[in-house]
Amino acid sequence: MPKGYWVSVYRTISDPEKLAAYNKLAAPAVKAGGGRVFVRGGRVVAHDAGIAERTILIEFDSFEQAVAARESAAYQEALAVLADGVERDFRIVEGID
């Protein structure tokens, strides 16, 4: 069964305090949903139209699990705290195996 992945690239972080509050709520929500964080921040080299900003990669056992974790009440609470504190490109993608 193909795995599912959350891929987030932060274009701007306008409110670091909101991001910190989000991180405190999002981490346990992701873990409860079965997610495993592979990349969180760190060094980035961007090419083509990419941006060298904070990048997050989280793996789930399936695409469906990744979608369910995003829709969970716990993660929705984290999103409410984040609100307009960042501008990010957030995607859920299906793996190839």
Side-chain angles (χ1 to χ4, degrees), residues 13-63:
I13 299 172
S14 58
D15 192 330
E17 291 178 9
K18 285 184 178 180
L19 179 58
Y22 161 83
N23 286 336
K24 286 183 181 179
L25 294 173
V30 166
K31 187 174 182 179
R36 295 171 298 283
V37 178
F38 283 176
V39 175
R40 184 178 58 221
R43 298 188 306 169
V44 175
V45 176
H47 295 277
D48 302 324
I51 56 173
E53 282 292 340
R54 178 182 174 90
T55 302
I56 313 297
L57 176 64
I58 300 173
E59 180 184 68
F60 293 84
D61 288 336
S62 70
F63 180 80

